[in-house]
Amino acid sequence: MNTNTGKVTLLSAGPGDLDLLTLKAVKALAAADVVLLDDLANPDIVTLAPQARVIRVGKRGGCRSTPQAFIERMMRRYALKGLHVVRVKGGEALLFGRAGEEIAILRDAGIALDIVNGISSGFAAAAGLGISLTHRRHCHGVTFVTAHTEDHGEPDWAALAATRTTLAIYMGMRRIGSIAAALLASLPADTPAAVVQWAGAIAERRLLTRLDRLAADAVDAGFDSPAVILVGDAIGESVEAEYGAAAGALTAVDKADDGVVAQAA
């Protein structure tokens, strides 16, 4: 490793609530010379890095994004100048955040690297719904999956449904119709489902529904990215807690005051 270089910290900013940052994250920000700020992170996070130069490098599905190669060049360039670069990523940096590519680039350049973990939006969504993703009454695990692969293909939804785990689906809103249809080939129509938009942030919205109405209800309620789709029997615990009814037994309810929308056939 080149001892004359600076270093890079891959920092997980969590779901948006700055109170959920780790102490390690706060210390890294305070020591940063350069902050490369992800579009999904709370922009107020820069107040914790008062001496840093802030460069916004947003990456959003379906929107104009900063090219990944440019971000990697920026990290390498400033670190090789001896600076401490903090690459701020929304959620958990190691989960669907292209961290693997950035780690490889930095290692190849001999640049020191720290990784700071954070709360992924899937966990924040579960917290907002007041459920356990691995409730032992309903499942034996949870599967985190992205709705599209590098080659723009889709996961094997039938195989995922067969696991009988809670499915936490990231980056799936543009394909929510095809996702629901694929899962319905293997799961019952009344399987509890939810969409949580801006999980863990002040603007959080939550939709409780069932699998056969998932796509229609999400569209009708105006849900969009960034959002996490949750599917599985464990999601029914949120419906029971909120409304004293099993998933699918609800009439339509709109709780605009707390951002919860419940729909049923």
Side-chain angles (χ1 to χ4, degrees):
M1 181 175 296
N2 185 350
T3 57
N4 294 321
T5 64
K7 70 174 183 178
V8 172
T9 298
L10 296 184
L11 189 146
S12 307
D17 184 348
L18 296 185
D19 286 344
L20 296 178
L21 289 172
T22 64
L23 292 175
K24 188 173 183 179
V26 173
K27 291 176 181 177
L29 288 163
D33 297 307
V34 178
V35 169
L36 301 180
L37 183 63
D38 184 79
D39 193 44
L40 292 178
N42 185 335
D44 291 339
I45 198 171
V46 299
T47 63
L48 301 174
Q51 68 182 22
R53 176 184 178 185
V54 177
I55 303 172
R56 302 184 186 280
V57 289
K59 294 184 71 63
R60 290 279 300 277
C63 302
R64 185 175 181 179
S65 300
T66 305
Q68 181 66 23
F70 176 79
I71 296 171
E72 293 166 0
R73 287 197 301 271
M74 296 283 280
M75 287 192 298
R76 186 168 48 197
R77 178 195 308 166
Y78 285 114
L80 290 174
K81 289 182 177 180
L83 301 177
H84 180 192
V85 181
V86 175
R87 167 76 164 108
V88 176
K89 293 173 173 283
E92 163 55 52
L94 303 183
L95 192 63
F96 308 128
R98 302 187 74 167
E101 299 163 45
E102 296 175 4
I103 291 169
I105 289 290
L106 297 169
R107 283 179 176 165
D108 288 346
I111 295 169
L113 170 68
D114 287 335
I115 300 174
V116 179
N117 296 117
I119 296 174
S120 178
S121 57
F123 292 109
L129 292 169
I131 61 169
S132 167
L133 294 173
T134 56
H135 196 308
R136 63 180 183 174
R137 184 189 305 161
H138 302 292
C139 63
H140 58 263
V142 57
T143 301
F144 296 93
V145 59
T146 178
H148 56 86
T149 58
E150 186 177 23
D151 62 0
H152 303 292
E154 291 196 26
D156 185 337
W157 295 112
L160 289 168
T163 66
R164 299 294 173 177
T165 60
T166 303
L167 300 181
I169 304 167
Y170 289 63
M171 294 173 279
M173 292 305 294
R174 285 191 292 166
R175 301 186 179 189
I176 192 168
S178 63
I179 291 169
L183 291 174
L184 280 168
S186 303
L187 295 175
D190 63 354
T191 301
V195 179
V196 182
Q197 184 176 4
W198 289 110
I202 294 175
E204 178 179 298
R205 300 179 68 217
R206 305 187 295 276
L207 169 71
L208 299 170
T209 185
R210 41 186 273 171
L211 186 56
D212 62 345
R213 290 206 48 85
L214 174 61
D217 288 346
V219 171
D220 289 347
F223 278 72
D224 200 354
S225 299
V228 179
I229 302 166
L230 300 173
V231 178
D233 289 339
I235 312 306
E237 292 287 324
S238 183
V239 176
E240 292 181 15
E242 287 278 351
Y243 307 103
L250 296 170
T251 55
V253 178
D254 185 357
K255 293 184 66 178
D257 288 344
D258 62 5
V260 180
V261 180
Q263 305 273 347

XYZ file of all heavy atoms in Angstrom, residues 4 27 34 39 42 58 70 74 93 95 101-102 182 191 199-200 206 226 232 242 248 259:
154
model
N 1.878 7.199 1.159
C 1.772 8.639 0.919
C 0.361 9.056 0.534
O 0.082 10.237 0.360
C 2.740 9.055 -0.207
C 4.193 8.869 0.208
O 4.544 9.127 1.349
N 5.011 8.410 -0.721
N -17.851 10.397 13.417
C -16.421 10.699 13.553
C -15.741 10.773 12.184
O -14.886 11.632 11.943
C -15.748 9.644 14.424
C -16.162 9.696 15.889
C -15.530 8.553 16.678
C -15.967 8.575 18.134
N -15.407 7.416 18.897
N -12.990 15.490 1.895
C -13.880 15.501 0.738
C -15.038 14.546 1.026
O -14.820 13.428 1.498
C -13.165 15.039 -0.552
C -14.133 15.009 -1.725
C -11.981 15.949 -0.858
N -27.234 10.581 -3.687
C -28.512 11.269 -3.819
C -29.550 10.788 -2.815
O -30.472 11.523 -2.465
C -29.041 11.082 -5.246
C -30.192 12.013 -5.565
O -30.111 13.197 -5.220
O -31.180 11.549 -6.161
N -29.567 11.702 3.342
C -30.116 12.965 3.833
C -29.105 14.079 3.554
O -27.971 14.023 4.040
C -30.373 12.847 5.338
C -31.048 14.068 5.932
O -30.952 15.175 5.398
N -31.729 13.890 7.044
N -25.049 11.944 -7.245
C -26.299 11.204 -7.164
C -26.397 10.080 -8.166
O -25.950 10.208 -9.311
N -16.930 7.857 -13.051
C -16.540 9.192 -12.593
C -16.382 9.207 -11.073
O -15.429 9.798 -10.543
C -17.595 10.208 -13.019
C -17.355 11.602 -12.520
C -16.441 12.439 -13.136
C -18.032 12.080 -11.400
C -16.206 13.724 -12.674
C -17.813 13.363 -10.925
C -16.891 14.183 -11.559
N -12.956 10.057 -8.935
C -12.895 11.107 -7.909
C -12.333 10.565 -6.598
O -11.483 11.205 -5.950
C -14.296 11.672 -7.668
C -14.904 12.375 -8.858
S -14.234 14.028 -9.099
C -15.164 14.919 -7.877
N -24.012 0.451 2.802
C -23.111 0.521 1.645
C -22.858 -0.838 1.008
O -22.636 -0.927 -0.199
C -21.784 1.147 2.070
N -24.902 -3.352 0.661
C -26.099 -4.019 0.165
C -26.640 -3.252 -1.045
O -27.225 -2.180 -0.900
C -27.155 -4.084 1.269
C -28.369 -4.982 1.029
C -27.935 -6.446 0.888
C -29.372 -4.844 2.165
N -17.465 -2.916 -6.473
C -16.674 -2.324 -7.544
C -15.723 -1.255 -6.995
O -14.564 -1.161 -7.406
C -17.603 -1.700 -8.583
C -18.542 -2.703 -9.237
C -19.705 -2.020 -9.946
O -19.452 -1.033 -10.657
O -20.842 -2.477 -9.777
N -16.225 -0.458 -6.057
C -15.405 0.613 -5.497
C -14.284 0.054 -4.631
O -13.151 0.565 -4.649
C -16.298 1.572 -4.720
C -17.303 2.279 -5.633
C -18.291 3.160 -4.888
O -18.167 3.290 -3.652
O -19.200 3.717 -5.540
N -45.210 -12.577 -11.246
C -44.303 -13.726 -11.162
C -44.432 -14.436 -9.816
O -44.441 -15.670 -9.746
C -42.869 -13.274 -11.389
N -51.309 -13.504 0.111
C -50.035 -13.328 0.816
C -49.850 -11.854 1.181
O -49.948 -10.979 0.321
C -48.856 -13.771 -0.067
O -49.015 -15.146 -0.422
C -47.530 -13.582 0.662
N -38.250 4.842 3.381
C -38.229 4.170 4.682
C -37.252 4.844 5.643
O -36.102 5.110 5.297
C -37.842 2.703 4.500
N -37.735 5.112 6.839
C -36.897 5.699 7.877
C -36.713 7.199 7.795
O -36.087 7.797 8.669
N -46.268 4.239 3.948
C -46.364 2.789 4.042
C -47.687 2.309 3.462
O -48.742 2.860 3.777
C -46.248 2.349 5.505
C -45.005 2.862 6.190
C -44.817 2.280 7.575
N -45.846 2.654 8.529
C -45.864 3.779 9.242
N -44.895 4.675 9.073
N -46.822 4.015 10.108
N -37.743 6.204 -4.095
C -37.157 4.956 -3.613
C -38.109 4.249 -2.648
O -38.692 4.885 -1.765
C -35.895 5.432 -2.881
C -36.269 6.789 -2.362
C -37.175 7.385 -3.406
N -44.601 -11.518 2.214
C -44.486 -12.702 3.070
C -45.455 -12.647 4.226
O -45.985 -11.584 4.579
N -52.176 -3.031 13.493
C -52.774 -1.731 13.193
C -54.300 -1.782 13.221
O -54.964 -0.857 13.672
C -52.326 -1.245 11.804
C -50.884 -0.791 11.738
C -50.702 0.631 12.237
O -51.704 1.315 12.472
O -49.543 1.040 12.384
N -55.844 -8.859 4.097
C -56.825 -9.185 3.088
C -58.248 -9.034 3.576
O -59.179 -9.079 2.786
N -49.169 8.578 7.387
C -48.525 8.076 6.199
C -48.813 6.624 5.885
O -48.129 6.013 5.073
